[in-house]
Amino acid sequence: MSRQIQVTFGAHDPRTLSVFWRDVLGYVHPPPPGVDLPAGADPLAAWDDFLEQAGVPEDQRNSASALEDPDGSGPHLYFQQVPEDKVAKNRLHLDVRAAPGQEGQERMATLEAECERLVALGARRLQRFEPDPPMTHGFIVMADPEGNEFCLD
């Protein structure tokens, strides 16, 4: 039997980092427990209202955030506030499949376009690796707004 997974990020600013990854992956913020959001409603605004009504102090309202795959097939993402800085290379690395089925310069052009989109969202471009068949089809190493490395693959 297969298992579902959750990927957890340590973050200084869980809400902002979750918004970044939402926009990268096309994920959604789930509504608060017991809240049925109408179509088009902002789930983050609903969370603000929910936490205020629950009496959570304002300085604790950004202690966590979460994302879900709207299709229900991808992993759940959880962002928890941590006090420490990222000081070394990730021990877990995410690859964002931005050019499935493409090869050569077509693939690299697609990755470059996605790289530009993600830089506009707050990512940093770190390094490009050219295609070198059969070992690699080419990829771009990036960092999210808090320095977590990932690849456009």
Side-chain angles (χ1 to χ4, degrees):
M1 174 192 309
S2 67
R3 303 282 192 257
Q4 293 182 341
I5 66 165
Q6 170 174 285
V7 177
T8 301
F9 291 75
H12 286 293
D13 185 349
R15 183 178 185 138
T16 298
L17 196 58
S18 72
V19 168
F20 171 81
W21 282 103
R22 177 198 67 196
D23 294 346
V24 169
L25 300 173
Y27 272 40
V28 297
H29 287 96
V35 175
D36 188 24
L37 290 179
D42 179 1
L44 293 176
W47 272 103
D48 290 340
D49 293 342
F50 177 83
L51 295 171
E52 183 176 351
Q53 291 173 9
V56 174
E58 194 168 339
D59 66 341
Q60 295 176 21
R61 293 183 193 166
N62 191 23
S63 62
S65 190
L67 294 173
E68 299 174 335
D69 177 352
D71 299 327
S73 59
H76 185 265
L77 303 181
Y78 183 72
F79 303 83
Q80 64 184 10
Q81 194 170 50
V82 296
E84 65 274 1
D85 290 329
K86 179 184 173 298
V87 295
K89 183 172 174 58
N90 304 9
R91 297 286 306 252
L92 174 69
H93 181 91
L94 302 179
D95 291 332
V96 177
R97 305 277 187 216
Q102 295 181 347
E103 294 183 21
Q105 291 312 307
E106 175 192 25
R107 172 186 174 77
M108 296 311 292
T110 298
L111 295 180
E112 287 292 348
E114 183 65 357
C115 178
E116 286 182 31
R117 184 180 82 85
L118 301 186
V119 166
L121 294 173
R124 284 183 299 122
R125 176 194 182 105
L126 301 179
Q127 189 172 6
R128 175 177 161 147
F129 289 85
E130 296 300 323
D132 187 19
M135 298 307 288
T136 179
H137 297 288
F139 57 96
I140 300 173
V141 181
M142 313 241 353
D144 73 14
E146 292 204 11
N148 301 301
E149 291 183 19
F150 66 98
C151 284
L152 290 179
D153 184 359

